Amino acid sequence: MRPWPGRAYPLGATYDGTGTNFALFSEVAERVELCLFDEAGTETRVRLDEVDGFVHHGYLPGVGPGQRYGYRVHGPCDPEQGLRCNPNKLLMDPYAKAFSHGIDWDDSLFAYDFDDHTQPNDADSAGHVPYSLVTNPYFDWANDRPPRTPYHETVVYETHLKGMTMTHPGVPEDLRGTYGGLAHPSVIAYLRELGVTAVELLPVHQFVTDHYLVEKGLKNYWGYNTLGFFAPHDAYAATPGQQVQEFKGMVRALHEAGIEVILDVVYNHTAEGNHLGPTLSMRGIDNQAYYRLVDDDPQHYMDYTGTGNSLNVGHPHTLQLIMDSLRYWVTEMHVDGFRFDLASTLAREFYDVDRLSAFFELVQQDPIVSQVKLIAEPWDVGPGGYQVGNFPPQWTEWNGQYRDTVRDFWRGEPATLGEFASRLTGSSDLYQDNGRRPYASINFVTAHDGFTLADLVSYNEKHNEANGEEGRDGADDNRSWNCGVEGPTDDPEVLELRGRQSRNLLATMLLSQGVPMLLHGDEMGRTQGGNNNVYCQDNEIAWVDWAKARDNEDLLEFTQGLTKFRRRHPVFRRRRFFQGKPIRSGDELRDIAWFTPAGEEMKAQNWDDDFGKAIVVFLNGDAIADLDARGIRVVDDSFLMAFNAHFEDIDLTLPDGPYGNAWAVVVDTSTGLVRHKPGETLEAGTTTTLPARSLVVLQRVGGAGS
C-alpha cells in the first residue's frame, strides 16, 4: 500500500470523507511506519516517507472510521542519553481521537529485559497495547449552545462519570457507568433539582490501570493515568468504539438542561511512568521532546507529580500537543472548561514555578481556550509547588486554604477567626492584589481526594486497608473530627451532631463568596468507610450509593434549599470584593460589618481572641455594586450570618440602629431550616440563643430604621 503525500497538519488521523491523513511528530525518528490492523489483528505496514518540520505524514484513500492503527518509530536507542526508539514496540498515536481495548501488561510492552534491565527487550508488543482508531468527526449537534454560566452564578458538582450512575435505579443497567448514563433524564433531573450548574468530571481522557494495581486485583478508578489527550475513555462507552459519539451526546443533553461540562485534565504526566515503565506512545516516539529528563542524567525523568514522569512543557511540540488537545475538546466536543490536575507542573519551564510560563502565555493569547472556564489545582509535589493565589488573572483555583480553614473552624480549633472571615468573603488576601475577583476562589470542603463529607464528621483517622498499602497511602492531615465515635454508630446524640456538622460545612461553603464545589454524594451522606484515597476502588466503596438519597432525604432537601437560596440572593455571590465602606457618599451603612455575638462591632483585639469560635457578619444587600446584563444595579435583602463553633449555646444580640429594626431566621443548621420567605421576626437589639455548633442566617425585615 503506497500512501499519497498528504499533509503535515493537522497531526493525528484526519478522515475527510474519502480517506484519512496520518501525521506524526518525531524529531529523532529516522523512519516511521504506519501500521494498519484488521479485525483479525493482521498487520499491514506503510512507510511515511514525507517529512515536513519533523512531521511524518501520508494520506490513504479509502481508509475510514473504525480503522485500527499504530506506529513503529525507527531511530536511536540509547536510554542513557534519553533516546528510546524501538520499532518492535507498537505505539499509540498521541493525537488519536479514540482507542480500542486496554493494556494486558505483557512483558513485550517493556523495552528492557526483566531479569537484566541493561539488556534490550525486542519482543513485539502488537496486540498488547491499545489500537488507535480513525474516527468520524460528524455529529448532529442540533442547536447545541454552551450555557456560559457566569462564574458568580456557578455551582460546581465534582463527580466521577462511572461512579455517579453505577447504582442509580432510574438508569437502565446497560447505561450505568457510561456517558449515556450521566446523560439519562433521571440523572439530569436530579442535578437540576440539586441546583448545580456544572459537572466537573474526573478524568475521562483515555487512561490505563497501573501494572501494580492489576497484580493486586484493583483498578485505576479515578483515571489520573492518561495516555490519550484527545480520546474519551473507551470503557465509559455503552457500545464499543462509539465513545466519541456517546460523549458528544452526553454533552448535548447536559447543555439542553443548562448544565456545563468541565473536564479534569491531566497534562502534567502520562501513564508511561519512570525509566522502568512501559513503552506505549510518546516514550518511543520522541522521549526527549515529550518528557522532562534529568539534566545530567537523561536516563531518568524529572518527577514533579509523584507518578514517575513530567511532561516537558518547555518543548514547543509538547506545548502544541496540549493546546491542540484543549482546542479540540472545546471546538469539537463542546466542553465548557477544564480543571488542570497539578497545574503547577505546567508552569515549570526549568525548575521554579513561573506563572508567566509559555503555557500560560499561550492560553492567554488563544482565542478559544482563553474563553472557557480554567480551573487550576494550584500545587504539585515538587519544590515550591504550592501556588494558591499565584495563577494568572483569567484562572480560578481550587482553594486549599479555604478547605483547611473551614474544617478547622467547625471542628473547634481556636484562633482561626481572621482567616475564617477572609475565606468566607472570597479570600481577598489571595486574589485581590492581582486584579482577580471573589470567584477566582473555588471553595470546597471535600473533593474526590480525601474524606467524603460524611466521613469527615465520622472518622479521626483514615481507613485505607482495602487499598493494599498497609495504610501508607492517602493524606494523614485530614482535619476531621468523628464527633466522639470512630466510624459507624447507633448513638443518637453522635448521629445528630454529625448531621449538624455536615449542615454547617455545606451551608458555609454554599453561602461563601466565590464558587462553591460540591462533591458528588455529599448531599446524601455518601461514605467511603473512612477510606480517603479511593483511587483504586472501582466498586461500591467509591460509587455513589443512591439508596443513601432515600435514607438522607432531610440532608438532600437542606442542600437543595441552600442552592436555591444562594440563587435567589446575589449578596452571597458578589462579583466584587467587599470594601468595608459605603459604596456611595452619604450612605450610612458599609457593604459589610463584623460583630461579636454580643452585638458589638469587632475590634482588633476581638480578632485575636483566644476563644475564637463565634462571629457574626452583616451583609448589606443594597451595596452589592454589581450591574446585571441590562446595566441595572443589583440590590438584595440584607442578612446577618451568625457562626457558633462552640460546644455550648451562646447568647446572640441582634445589631440595631442603622442595621435594621427586625430580623427573621431563614437558615438554621441546628434544625435544618431553609426558608425562602421570612417568618417570625425578632426585634433588633434583643438577645436570642445561638445554638451550639450551628450557623444561623437572619434576613432583615424592612429597611434600616423601619
Side-chain angles (χ1 to χ4, degrees):
M1 184 180 296
R2 291 181 60 83
W4 296 358
R7 305 181 309 277
Y9 294 95
L11 291 164
T14 306
Y15 175 66
D16 63 6
T18 59
T20 301
N21 190 81
F22 295 88
L24 179 77
F25 161 78
S26 177
E27 194 169 347
V28 299
E30 296 167 356
R31 185 171 83 251
V32 170
E33 291 178 310
L34 169 66
C35 306
L36 306 179
F37 294 85
D38 62 17
E39 291 293 332
T42 302
E43 178 180 358
T44 300
R45 301 187 185 185
V46 181
R47 284 185 55 164
L48 299 181
D49 291 326
E50 294 289 333
V51 184
D52 292 303
F54 302 115
V55 175
H56 303 250
H57 57 90
Y59 179 89
L60 293 180
V63 170
Q67 175 65 58
R68 302 175 178 182
Y69 73 97
Y71 290 104
R72 296 184 187 274
V73 174
H74 300 255
C77 183
D78 186 353
E80 291 187 357
Q81 299 302 315
L83 300 168
R84 295 179 178 269
C85 296
N86 187 336
N88 297 300
K89 310 306 174 187
L90 184 71
L91 304 175
M92 300 162 64
D93 182 358
Y95 276 77
K97 308 302 191 300
F99 296 96
S100 69
H101 77 79
I103 291 174
D104 63 7
W105 291 109
D106 185 79
D107 288 357
S108 63
L109 297 173
F110 298 85
Y112 56 87
D113 184 85
F114 274 29
D115 295 326
D116 184 353
H117 293 171
T118 65
Q119 297 301 311
N121 174 8
D122 292 332
D124 196 319
S125 65
H128 303 288
V129 67
Y131 295 123
S132 307
L133 294 178
V134 177
T135 60
N136 188 343
Y138 175 75
F139 180 79
D140 183 7
W141 283 103
N143 295 318
D144 181 69
R145 294 183 179 179
R148 297 195 185 280
T149 307
Y151 265 122
H152 68 288
E153 296 177 5
T154 297
V155 177
V156 177
Y157 192 71
E158 191 197 26
T159 188
H160 188 283
L161 187 137
K162 181 178 181 179
M164 179 69 175
T165 63
M166 282 301 293
T167 72
H168 196 295
V171 176
E173 288 192 17
D174 62 328
L175 291 181
R176 293 179 184 176
T178 70
Y179 301 112
L182 190 65
H184 192 270
S186 62
V187 177
I188 289 178
Y190 176 85
L191 294 171
R192 284 177 57 85
E193 185 63 23
L194 185 57
V196 300
T197 68
V199 289
E200 183 177 304
L201 303 179
L202 266 69
V204 297
H205 287 174
Q206 187 75 27
F207 63 87
V208 300
T209 292
D210 315 75
H211 190 202
Y212 80 94
L213 288 179
V214 173
E215 290 181 323
K216 293 194 296 184
L218 299 171
K219 295 182 180 179
N220 186 319
Y221 172 64
W222 283 348
Y224 292 95
N225 209 24
T226 304
L227 206 60
F229 294 131
F230 293 78
H233 190 54
D234 65 321
Y236 294 156
T239 302
Q242 294 301 306
Q243 54 265 44
V244 175
Q245 301 294 311
E246 291 184 20
F247 182 93
K248 291 179 177 179
M250 175 194 71
V251 173
R252 183 178 60 192
L254 288 165
H255 281 183
E256 288 175 356
I259 298 173
E260 294 183 305
V261 178
I262 299 171
L263 301 187
D264 192 336
V265 290
V266 190
Y267 293 112
N268 52 71
H269 74 281
T270 77
E272 292 188 291
N274 63 17
H275 64 289
L276 297 178
T279 299
L280 305 173
S281 181
M282 301 179 198
R283 170 173 284 146
I285 295 171
D286 196 329
N287 187 59
Q288 293 176 324
Y290 282 117
Y291 293 114
R292 290 286 304 274
L293 307 180
V294 177
D295 289 339
D296 56 355
D297 185 14
Q299 178 180 355
H300 296 98
Y301 296 81
M302 297 296 294
D303 184 8
Y304 297 118
T305 64
T307 59
N309 64 54
S310 302
L311 273 188
N312 183 12
V313 292
H315 192 282
H317 276 278
T318 305
L319 276 175
Q320 179 187 359
L321 171 74
I322 296 173
M323 295 305 299
D324 285 350
S325 170
L326 292 170
R327 280 190 292 269
Y328 172 79
W329 286 98
V330 176
T331 59
E332 298 296 325
M333 308 296 266
H334 287 207
V335 305
D336 304 284
F338 306 95
R339 178 266 188 189
F340 291 81
D341 177 65
L342 301 181
S344 292
T345 301
L346 299 174
R348 291 185 184 272
E349 286 194 321
F350 299 102
Y351 178 80
D352 294 329
V353 175
D354 177 9
R355 70 183 185 133
L356 297 179
S357 69
F359 170 71
F360 295 108
E361 291 176 347
L362 286 174
V363 169
Q364 175 76 32
Q365 297 169 14
D366 191 278
I368 294 171
V369 179
S370 65
Q371 299 306 303
V372 300
K373 287 183 168 67
L374 302 170
I375 305 171
E377 182 185 34
W379 51 78
D380 65 17
V381 300
Y386 193 78
Q387 292 290 318
V388 172
N390 290 330
F391 276 71
Q394 79 271 35
W395 287 70
T396 62
E397 301 174 9
W398 271 27
N399 191 344
Q401 293 190 31
Y402 179 93
R403 172 200 59 206
D404 295 346
T405 301
V406 171
R407 287 186 180 190
D408 279 349
F409 178 80
W410 282 116
R411 69 190 179 115
E413 289 295 299
T416 62
L417 280 184
E419 187 164 2
F420 179 73
S422 180
R423 304 296 155 248
L424 183 70
T425 54
S427 297
S428 60
D429 58 323
L430 298 177
Y431 303 114
Q432 188 171 25
D433 289 345
N434 63 353
R436 300 162 85 182
R437 299 289 184 90
Y439 48 73
S441 177
I442 304 295
N443 298 330
F444 68 104
V445 175
T446 56
H448 69 274
D449 189 1
F451 281 145
T452 67
L453 181 65
D455 291 352
L456 188 68
V457 299
S458 302
Y459 294 90
N460 285 350
E461 307 293 337
K462 63 185 180 184
H463 297 266
N464 297 0
E465 293 78 12
N467 296 356
E469 299 183 37
E470 299 180 352
R472 293 186 299 270
D473 65 302
D476 295 314
D477 181 23
N478 293 291
R479 302 175 189 242
S480 60
W481 178 45
N482 64 18
C483 297
V485 176
E486 186 76 357
T489 181
D490 294 326
D491 188 321
E493 292 186 4
V494 173
L495 292 175
E496 192 282 331
L497 179 55
R498 288 177 178 177
R500 184 180 299 202
Q501 288 288 80
S502 295
R503 293 191 293 271
N504 286 333
L505 292 161
L506 284 169
T508 302
M509 180 183 69
L510 286 167
L511 299 180
S512 293
Q513 306 297 324
V515 179
M517 186 184 78
L518 183 66
L519 173 64
H520 71 185
D522 275 357
E523 73 279 5
M524 61 178 83
R526 184 177 73 92
T527 178
Q528 296 172 170
N531 191 321
N532 73 351
N533 189 32
V534 296
Y535 77 103
C536 58
Q537 299 297 330
D538 188 2
N539 50 49
E540 291 83 356
I541 293 176
W543 298 341
V544 174
D545 180 3
W546 285 91
K548 288 284 186 182
R550 296 188 296 271
D551 298 338
N552 292 280
E553 288 184 358
D554 290 346
L555 182 61
L556 178 57
E557 291 176 1
F558 179 75
T559 310
Q560 292 169 337
L562 283 172
T563 59
K564 292 175 183 176
F565 186 80
R566 176 187 178 87
R567 186 165 62 248
R568 289 170 61 95
H569 293 290
V571 73
F572 295 103
R573 44 181 177 82
R574 290 167 51 103
R575 294 176 57 246
R576 292 173 172 79
F577 287 108
F578 292 103
Q579 299 299 312
K581 58 185 179 182
I583 64 167
R584 293 181 301 269
S585 176
D587 285 357
E588 189 173 5
L589 292 178
R590 290 165 290 169
D591 55 2
I592 189 171
W594 299 92
F595 295 89
T596 68
E600 300 174 351
E601 290 207 41
M602 292 281 287
K603 298 179 176 60
Q605 61 267 29
N606 300 128
W607 292 107
D608 298 324
D609 188 348
D610 289 339
F611 176 69
K613 297 182 181 180
I615 196 169
V616 180
V617 59
F618 168 77
L619 305 180
N620 186 350
D622 190 46
I624 298 176
D626 285 344
L627 300 178
D628 66 15
R630 298 167 296 172
I632 299 174
R633 191 169 72 88
V634 177
V635 294
D636 192 8
D637 298 300
S638 296
F639 294 87
L640 283 178
M641 300 177 71
F643 299 83
N644 178 17
H646 192 41
F647 59 81
E648 292 181 338
D649 297 348
I650 62 175
D651 290 335
L652 171 65
T653 301
L654 303 177
D656 55 8
Y659 296 99
N661 287 343
W663 300 89
V665 174
V666 288
V667 176
D668 185 347
T669 61
S670 70
T671 62
L673 169 74
V674 180
R675 279 199 184 116
H676 298 293
K677 292 184 179 179
E680 181 181 353
T681 60
L682 301 169
E683 289 187 12
T686 60
T687 299
T688 186
T689 298
L690 182 57
R693 295 194 174 99
S694 70
L695 162 58
V696 174
V697 180
L698 301 100
Q699 183 174 342
R700 187 173 68 185
V701 180
S706 62

